[in-house]
Amino acid sequence: MVERKLLVLFGSQTGTAQDTAERIGREAKRRHFQCRVEALDSYDVANLINELLVVFVCATTGQGDPPDNMKMFWRFLFRKNLPPGSLCQLDYAVLGLGDSSYPKFNFVAKKLHKRVLQLGGNPLLPVALGDDQHDLGPDAVVDPWLLALWDKILALYPLPPGLEIISPDVRLPSKYTLHYLAEDSLHPDGGLLQPTAPRAVPSELHPFAARVVSNQRVTAESHFQDVRLIEFDVTGSGITFSAGDVVMIQPQNCPEDVQQFCQLLRLDPDRHFVLKPTEPGTSLPALLPQPCTIRHLVTHYLDISCVPRRSFFELLSYFSTNELEREKLQEFSSAQGQEELYSYCNRPRRTTLEALWDFPHTTCAIPPEYLLDLIPRIRPRAFSIASSMLAHPDRIQILMAVVRYKTRLSKPRRGLCSTWLASLNPEQGDVRVPLWVKKGGMKFPADPDTPVIMIGPGTGVAPFRAAIQERVAQGCRGNCLFFGCRQKSKDFYCQAEWEELVTKGFLTLFTAFSRDQEEKVYVQHRIQENRRLVWELLSSRSAHVYLAG
């Protein structure tokens, strides 16, 4: 009997591809496959030649780029020296998640499918092109494609004699088991988030706990939007960066939400537990300490403020003891109920915590070991670095709009990371934020004589503040900035800094204040008015143009 093993590999930026990969993993378990679900970059790609059955699930980001957690895999796969038949024993299928409003729609999935085919792989199905723009989202393509995929796979690997597909009415075991510890068995560990001695350059798995130096509002108090200039101290971290780079920040849930969540689920926030994988070979969540408190898990790990996905309602329906609630949850997790789910969840941006409020009988019956299957982890947020190490050594500054908006729900929606960062007050003691730095997509010219034209309306000016500080420190004078905002008196970020550089001859500045006169004026109007200068810089001085929103 051939071994029934399936490997699901995903490349995910926002978590959708991971969610879909885990769904395939659950469907595989119902069909009695031994199944591993892994991020492409944590899989040892050299083993691919030994695999017999793999499903790839990958998103496309930006302008046809692979997600961060498959970049190494991508480089390896496209090496020129890989022999053409190296994957000849592999049966595979590729599921892409993309957005057809972008020109390079599902570019990564298409290219991956083609490359595995080139290397001798045998495709079970044509590549699936899930589309965010579809009324029903990517599921419109994914649902029928998966039905066809299981037909193909079960034809190759039939169910072992005497075994049936596990019915959808049966709940699958959780990924981990959770074991509470007796309070007297604990060593006092003095807090779980100690700033660790730097082992290597900080990264997602080992962030640096940076001290908040200042947190300053840079819009007028009367302005509708709260924008902050926040400075972090990264002394001793080993972090280096240049203009255009990005700082990744790992946010946390607010204490009120954590308390509410624990009350709803009848959890004691101070209980300690350890996790054990249900199946050998499943690794533990990298960012959770062992032992861990419920409070730490809910504060730093579970994304209780994200908009829940279909898979959340599907798993939730298994815990329901209340018939009305169970019927609604089953409807939300069915293919037919997707429009209704969209208007319940996505349109009003309802959070996981709010959804749990609406299903009280079910919520208080959730077994704690299922929390890690039910709720995704909090993802790090990316910010353009708004300062240069040459001007501010050992410091990182960001320019951040606090996300707050209304939907039909009575409570305003708030961005998790920006609300948390805005609330931090360095005057109240030692306030720390876990962060690390990532290479950005913008590279500024190495030749000091090459002029740069930067178009950065609103907080889009952040990477250009870093670039201008860096270039001024290097003595470069060809800096031209188009900046736009609503009103000169309300949201003209870094005004004094720009004006000083103009006076010193380091900066040419054009501003567009859209609401300061009858007719609206935007950066594109200023570019048009100064078209001769712009053309002169481009045609005879080979200027580079940068645009950030």
Side-chain angles (χ1 to χ4, degrees), residues 163-235:
L163 285 180
E164 300 280 314
I165 294 178
I166 300 170
S167 146
D169 306 333
V170 177
R171 174 170 98 198
L172 291 172
S174 59
K175 201 188 255 181
Y176 307 104
T177 53
L178 183 146
H179 304 272
Y180 282 122
L181 301 179
E183 294 307 306
D184 50 13
S185 69
L186 290 167
H187 306 293
D189 60 354
L192 296 157
L193 249 192
Q194 290 119 337
T196 45
R199 270 162 289 206
V201 175
S203 63
E204 182 158 11
L205 291 179
H206 303 292
F208 178 73
R211 187 173 62 83
V212 180
V213 180
S214 61
N215 180 352
Q216 171 197 353
R217 180 170 171 144
V218 290
T219 43
E221 285 301 329
S222 60
H223 191 57
F224 77 102
Q225 197 172 35
D226 180 356
V227 176
R228 303 299 178 96
L229 182 66
I230 304 179
E231 180 170 72
F232 304 101
D233 182 353
V234 294
T235 308

Side-chain angles (χ1 to χ4, degrees), residues 43-352:
Y43 172 73
D44 183 359
V45 60
N47 285 336
L48 204 55
I49 56 167
N50 306 315
E51 302 290 352
L52 301 177
L53 183 59
V54 177
V55 177
F56 297 95
V57 184
C58 46
T60 295
T61 66
Q63 304 299 318
D65 305 312
D68 290 337
N69 69 356
M70 64 178 282
K71 288 208 168 19
M72 288 165 356
F73 170 85
W74 198 242
R75 277 200 293 271
F76 181 90
L77 200 67
F78 285 90
R79 281 182 15 190
K80 298 275 186 286
N81 60 357
L82 296 181
S86 43
L87 298 179
C88 62
Q89 59 170 349
L90 176 68
D91 288 317
Y92 76 98
V94 177
L95 194 172
L97 296 168
D99 183 322
S100 58
S101 65
Y102 284 82
K104 294 200 167 176
F105 172 54
N106 262 315
F107 186 71
V108 172
K110 293 172 184 166
K111 208 167 160 187
L112 175 63
H113 185 84
K114 207 166 136 191
R115 179 60 173 154
V116 178
L117 188 64
Q118 267 181 357
L119 294 170
N122 167 47
L124 296 171
L125 286 176
V127 59
L129 305 176
D131 184 9
D132 245 354
Q133 289 298 316
H134 192 285
D135 288 343
L136 300 175
D139 285 349
V141 167
V142 174
D143 288 358
W145 186 85
L146 280 178
L147 289 173
L149 179 70
W150 290 120
D151 284 348
K152 293 274 191 195
I153 290 178
L154 286 175
L156 291 170
Y157 298 91
L159 284 164
L163 285 180
E164 300 280 314
I165 294 178
I166 300 170
S167 146
D169 306 333
V170 177
R171 174 170 98 198
L172 291 172
S174 59
K175 201 188 255 181
Y176 307 104
T177 53
L178 183 146
H179 304 272
Y180 282 122
L181 301 179
E183 294 307 306
D184 50 13
S185 69
L186 290 167
H187 306 293
D189 60 354
L192 296 157
L193 249 192
Q194 290 119 337
T196 45
R199 270 162 289 206
V201 175
S203 63
E204 182 158 11
L205 291 179
H206 303 292
F208 178 73
R211 187 173 62 83
V212 180
V213 180
S214 61
N215 180 352
Q216 171 197 353
R217 180 170 171 144
V218 290
T219 43
E221 285 301 329
S222 60
H223 191 57
F224 77 102
Q225 197 172 35
D226 180 356
V227 176
R228 303 299 178 96
L229 182 66
I230 304 179
E231 180 170 72
F232 304 101
D233 182 353
V234 294
T235 308
S237 65
I239 286 175
T240 58
F241 59 89
S242 44
D245 287 350
V246 166
V247 62
M248 304 298 294
I249 293 181
Q250 184 66 45
Q252 61 187 56
N253 291 309
C254 69
E256 301 76 51
D257 284 358
V258 172
Q259 190 188 344
Q260 250 186 38
F261 181 86
C262 290
Q263 281 170 352
L264 271 175
L265 275 83
R266 304 182 180 173
L267 294 167
D268 172 358
D270 297 314
R271 289 288 298 274
H272 287 74
F273 65 88
V274 290
L275 291 177
K276 304 235 166 84
T278 310
E279 289 183 9
T282 306
S283 53
L284 290 168
L287 293 157
L288 271 186
Q290 292 261 48
C292 181
T293 63
I294 293 287
R295 188 191 312 278
H296 184 91
L297 171 73
V298 183
T299 304
H300 298 282
Y301 194 83
L302 299 179
D303 196 355
I304 58 178
S305 76
C306 71
V307 176
R309 301 174 187 272
R310 172 178 168 181
S311 58
F312 168 86
F313 295 96
E314 187 186 331
L315 181 51
L316 205 51
S317 68
Y318 288 105
F319 310 130
S320 200
T321 49
N322 174 291
E323 201 165 334
L324 269 176
E325 288 188 8
R326 186 167 58 246
E327 280 175 5
K328 194 72 199 168
L329 290 165
Q330 284 170 340
E331 182 190 345
F332 280 160
S333 48
S334 70
Q336 303 75 34
Q338 289 315 289
E339 281 189 56
E340 179 134 7
L341 177 59
Y342 190 84
S343 37
Y344 170 70
C345 255
N346 304 64
R347 199 166 289 123
R349 309 302 295 164
R350 194 182 302 272
T351 69
T352 295

Side-chain angles (χ1 to χ4, degrees), residues 496-510:
E497 192 175 331
W498 304 137
E499 288 171 349
E500 186 188 348
L501 290 172
V502 170
T503 311
K504 291 182 171 167
F506 279 108
L507 180 66
T508 309
L509 175 68
F510 299 100

